[in-house]
Amino acid sequence: MPAYVLTAAQAAAVDRRLESAGLLDLAMEEAGAAVAGEVQQQVPAGRVLLLAGTGANGGDALVAARHLYVQGREVEVLALPARHRLTQLNRRRLQAVGVQCRPLRPAALHRSAQDAAVLVDGLLGTGFAPPLRAPLDELIHIINAAHCPVLSIDIPSGLDAHSAQAAGLSVHAHRTVTLMGWKPALMFGEAAARAGAVTLVALTVPAPWVQEQALAVRPSDREVGAMLPVRRNDAHKGTAGHVWVLGGHPGTVGAASLAGAGALRAGAGLVTVHSTADVPLVMPELMMHRHEAWDAAFRSFGTRRPDAVAVGMGLGPDAARVAREVLAWNIPTVLDADALQPELTGLGHDLCVWTPIPVKPPACWTRRPQSSPAIRWMPPGPCRSGSAEWSCSRAGPA
């Protein structure tokens, strides 16, 4: 199944459908078994300390504890009072195989964390919304002070699953086992840094149920590779495509040069950087054409067109005018940096890729101020709406 991206609300919608079909218990069992397997692979020996919260995330931790115990691991479970029906059920199942849960209190956690080989964080899941309340804030401080690796279930406790921002207190995990689909917080910004290495467990869920809810799809390297054309045995640089990079301005020439190098490394046979500045050639294969002005550049182009074009990198004040001309060519086009301007709204086409970056929202968002912080906090959403606004089929964070 493809790797889907789900917000907290979308994941909850799939859970409700599983519950209605009588499958949620099976999904929790599979999730907990996957967490146990990750623990066994990453930390194969020593005592496992598992923390179970009140909701479904806590239920996953209890299932993981049962699987680890029957596989011969020493486990200790500290749990908050269970509120979720399946969390209550799995607490009884854990007790039935001989493992007792002790109350999760700060003092108990502080003692137990001192000599644990690994700590499994099952306190809060995707349903959490800030702010943290006592005693969870104190518990998370203790988790972060522990000297053992921390593995979080689905998402580190305290993170907002919907946001790449991590302004408040949260668990700093060494590894996260996320369930059913990626969450935006695990993909961008400081939130992703707090998740550590992420393992996706898709779970045995009907793919259409997840697909109907998904915010986006995250292709694997293998899937991206399969999209690339296969070169013939007699291929040469003249048959591998010619890319133009239109960018650079006095004082901002590096980005255009790097874009050209990137095009070469991606497989382009020929790459020419067109600029009104002297752009350094960071690779000897790059070609450079300096123009006195962009009007003169477009006159010299005449009817010649590349196979693909990148525009905007360090282009400066001429960017909107140059990008407008390029968009009229209707060829594969990447618009970046200075070329992301509000006056280009609606001029895109199906061969465009717009690349706003989370750390510096483009000028396009000045006409919709509410989207400027949104691109930092949860990039897929504003990029999806932006793709419709700019009249193109693809828009995404660089």
Side-chain angles (χ1 to χ4, degrees):
M1 187 170 72
Y4 292 107
V5 181
L6 299 166
T7 65
Q10 290 164 343
V14 178
D15 281 348
R16 287 193 296 272
R17 196 161 182 180
L18 289 168
E19 177 76 22
S20 298
L23 298 173
L24 190 59
D25 187 17
L26 297 178
M28 182 175 286
E29 186 70 20
E30 185 180 2
V35 171
E38 191 73 13
V39 170
Q40 291 285 61
Q41 181 177 348
Q42 299 299 326
V43 188
R47 183 170 60 87
V48 183
L49 174 60
L50 299 103
L51 309 182
T54 62
N57 202 248
D60 296 335
L62 296 173
V63 173
R66 174 163 43 84
H67 280 268
L68 288 166
Y69 179 74
V70 300
Q71 292 170 32
R73 290 297 294 268
E74 180 186 358
V75 301
E76 181 179 2
V77 180
L78 301 179
L80 295 172
R83 296 177 183 171
H84 192 283
R85 175 183 65 85
L86 292 180
T87 304
Q88 296 169 349
L89 173 62
N90 280 294
R91 183 163 182 166
R92 294 193 296 270
R93 288 172 174 169
L94 184 60
Q95 292 170 342
V97 300
V99 179
Q100 298 297 318
C101 298
R102 296 196 297 123
L104 175 53
R105 299 189 178 97
L109 174 57
H110 181 74
R111 289 191 300 269
S112 296
Q114 290 180 2
D115 59 351
V118 58
L119 187 154
V120 177
D121 160 35
L123 291 179
L124 298 168
T126 57
F128 167 74
L132 279 169
R133 296 177 177 84
L136 289 167
D137 52 354
E138 187 175 357
L139 294 174
I140 289 176
H141 276 300
I142 296 171
I143 293 170
N144 288 339
H147 297 294
C148 63
V150 175
L151 185 150
S152 289
I153 299 176
D154 209 13
I155 189 168
S157 292
L159 282 183
D160 179 354
H162 192 67
S163 174
Q165 197 176 46
L169 175 65
S170 74
V171 167
H172 290 239
H174 296 81
R175 184 169 294 271
T176 297
V177 177
T178 197
L179 307 169
M180 192 156 51
W182 286 82
K183 314 306 182 296
L186 304 179
M187 299 170 61
F188 303 101
E190 172 62 19
R194 295 190 187 186
V198 179
T199 299
L200 171 64
V201 178
L203 301 180
T204 308
V205 178
W209 295 7
V210 183
Q211 186 177 8
E212 289 169 11
Q213 294 294 332
L215 176 70
V217 177
R218 183 175 189 178
S220 66
D221 291 345
R222 182 184 296 273
E223 289 169 327
V224 171
M227 301 175 190
L228 300 177
V230 177
R231 292 189 178 183
R232 292 162 47 106
N233 291 338
D234 61 349
H236 53 81
K237 65 181 182 181
T239 62
H242 192 167
V243 174
W244 288 0
V245 176
L246 277 60
H249 185 74
T252 55
V253 295
S257 185
L258 293 175
L264 283 171
R265 289 173 175 165
L270 298 164
V271 179
T272 302
V273 178
H274 292 273
S275 182
T276 57
D278 289 317
V279 175
L281 301 182
V282 295
M283 295 177 68
E285 301 94 327
L286 277 175
M287 296 179 286
M288 167 65 192
H289 193 141
R290 188 181 187 281
H291 303 272
E292 289 302 317
W294 284 110
D295 288 340
F298 282 101
R299 285 195 299 271
S300 72
F301 296 157
T303 59
R304 291 184 298 124
R305 298 291 182 264
D307 297 292
V309 60
V311 58
M313 303 78 179
L315 192 49
D318 295 318
R321 180 167 58 90
V322 172
R324 183 184 293 270
E325 293 275 358
V326 168
L327 285 169
W329 294 350
N330 202 38
I331 64 173
T333 303
V334 175
L335 295 103
D336 183 50
D338 294 336
L340 301 175
Q341 297 294 333
E343 54 261 49
L344 300 178
T345 300
L347 298 182
H349 49 76
D350 283 347
L351 299 178
C352 285
V353 176
W354 307 76
T355 59
I357 57 174
V359 294
K360 183 181 178 183
C364 298
W365 265 281
T366 59
R367 65 192 302 273
R368 293 197 300 132
Q370 71 276 14
S371 292
S372 184
I375 189 66
R376 293 190 183 97
W377 300 341
M378 208 285 285
C383 287
R384 170 177 284 186
S385 60
S387 67
E389 182 173 332
W390 302 327
S391 300
C392 66
S393 62
R394 289 176 287 277

